[in-house]
Amino acid sequence: MTEKKSVIHISVNSDEYSRKTGVMLRKKLEAKGYEVTATFKPEAELIISVGGDGAFLNTLHRCGFPDIPFVGVNTGHLGFFQEISPENIDDFIEKYEAGVCVVQDLETVKATVIHQDEYRGQAVFTALNEIIVRGSNSQTVHLDLSIGGNFIEKFSGDGLLVATSAGSTAYNYSLGGAIADPRINMLQVTPIAAVNSTAYRSFTSSLMLPGSLPVRIRPEAEQPLVLIGDGNKHDITGASEVIIESSGKVIHLLRLEDYSFWKKVKTKFL
Ligand code: NAP
Ligand code: MN
């Protein structure tokens, strides 16, 4: 009787270097006796994403934020989530099989979009980096912001971004938001080009809150709006409310034993 093989799903970015790396990785894993799949199967014990952070985010969304560990092979992008370089694949496989990798848990964020009209009802979106609510075109949007049931302000500007700690180093950082250690489960509300004048008043800094506290955004009526979760855009024009909070889903990312978030921040940003 043949033993059932362990399944590893490999998701590969479309550029040539990623494809070559993916082929090499598949060969090495098959030689070790794994069944390697190009389409996601829930029985997989590991998901490997080959590419940059964008490829990792796409893989995560395509697989539906499963409880299975992920690891990233970086093929020449920034690679904040991507722990392994193509030259270190053998070393990684050895460490994976020896069980000496460490698991980094990353909290995710969800947005519930509520429409008044029953036909559209409710929609839920999950993201790892951030959820953004902004105008569909380039117009100023007016959004009533509440945190934990307290009305904070009528925000006017390009939009509002709600980042997780894992996403704090992405778009949030470019907007002047703070870098947060992913061991802290928090959300950061960062304004995108807030208007401050005698006509409008909004906070210009990020607001940091525990992940469990819901952020409520009520748009003024009749504004063309989009919700963007990790770069995926959805039209939410006509929504009466968007509730953003920690989703409770945690992503498990494999790291090498010497991984340190702050070392990564230093090497990738300074
Ligand atoms: P992209 O336009 O290629 O991403 C922009 C850069 O952000 C890339 O260098 C990407 O790394 C990096 N990145 C993604 N997640 C990160 C994280 N958690 N920490 C540090 N850097 C991170 O688009 P993409 O690759 O599909 O990624 C989607 C993300 O792009 C969104 O979630 C958003 O955060 C970010 N974004 C940033 C800006 C901005 O900074 N102005 C504007 C739009 C979107 P790789 O090179 O490894 O892919
Ligand atoms: Mn990218």
Side-chain angles (χ1 to χ4, degrees):
M1 211 181 83
T2 53
E3 216 183 302
K4 205 168 176 310
K5 289 182 183 176
S6 302
V7 177
I8 295 184
H9 169 50
I10 305 186
S11 167
V12 181
N13 214 355
S14 59
D15 66 276
E16 200 185 330
Y17 184 43
S18 298
R19 288 211 307 269
K20 277 190 181 151
T21 306
V23 170
M24 171 180 81
L25 179 61
R26 167 188 280 270
K27 281 187 187 146
K28 287 180 190 290
L29 290 170
E30 283 175 347
K32 290 273 183 188
Y34 291 97
E35 179 189 337
V36 176
T37 66
T39 36
F40 173 61
K41 287 186 184 174
E43 64 264 34
E45 65 167 42
L46 176 68
I47 299 169
I48 307 180
S49 148
V50 182
D53 292 326
F56 172 71
L57 293 168
N58 287 337
T59 305
L60 183 61
H61 281 257
R62 208 155 12 77
C63 297
F65 292 76
D67 218 23
I68 304 162
F70 283 83
V71 74
V73 177
N74 192 29
T75 48
H77 307 263
L78 179 71
F80 212 77
F81 293 124
Q82 306 296 78
E83 183 71 359
I84 314 297
S85 63
E87 311 81 65
N88 290 343
I89 285 177
D90 289 320
D91 180 50
F92 165 70
I93 296 174
E94 208 171 284
K95 287 183 168 147
Y96 176 70
E97 295 202 306
V100 294
C101 294
V102 295
V103 179
Q104 180 182 36
D105 282 342
L106 302 175
E107 302 280 346
T108 63
V109 59
K110 78 170 178 193
T112 308
V113 179
I114 298 163
H115 283 275
Q116 276 326 352
D117 80 85
E118 279 168 46
Y119 183 69
R120 291 182 76 181
Q122 279 197 12
V124 177
F125 303 96
T126 307
L128 176 59
N129 273 348
E130 78 282 289
I131 302 274
I132 300 167
V133 174
R134 65 182 307 156
S136 321
N137 311 315
S138 300
Q139 77 282 39
T140 311
V141 290
H142 306 283
L143 308 168
D144 280 350
L145 171 69
S146 302
I147 295 178
N150 306 286
F151 175 72
I152 304 292
E153 67 184 16
K154 178 179 286 298
F155 170 88
S156 295
D158 282 10
L160 287 170
L161 180 150
V162 182
T164 61
S165 293
S168 67
T169 46
Y171 199 173
N172 173 70
Y173 180 61
S174 306
L175 291 167
I179 293 181
D181 189 314
R183 285 169 287 199
I184 310 172
N185 179 17
M186 54 162 256
L187 293 174
Q188 184 170 169
V189 182
T190 298
I192 310 176
V195 178
N196 272 294
S197 62
T198 48
Y200 299 111
R201 282 269 152 245
S202 320
F203 276 112
T204 52
S205 76
S206 295
L207 310 177
M208 296 191 189
L209 49 130
S212 56
L213 219 53
V215 173
R216 269 196 165 70
I217 295 173
R218 285 175 192 269
E220 263 182 13
E222 309 294 323
Q223 307 177 90
L225 284 184
V226 288
L227 180 147
I228 309 169
D230 295 342
N232 305 301
K233 210 178 205 183
H234 310 274
D235 178 28
I236 59 160
T237 304
S240 58
E241 191 169 38
V242 181
I243 301 164
I244 303 172
E245 61 208 321
S246 194
S247 86
K249 274 188 197 161
V250 175
I251 296 307
H252 312 291
L253 196 53
L254 294 190
R255 299 292 197 176
L256 298 173
E257 320 108 286
D258 62 345
Y259 170 81
S260 141
F261 173 75
W262 291 103
K263 190 168 73 188
K264 197 84 161 181
V265 167
K266 165 90 178 141
T267 55
K268 296 291 178 183
F269 288 109
L270 296 179

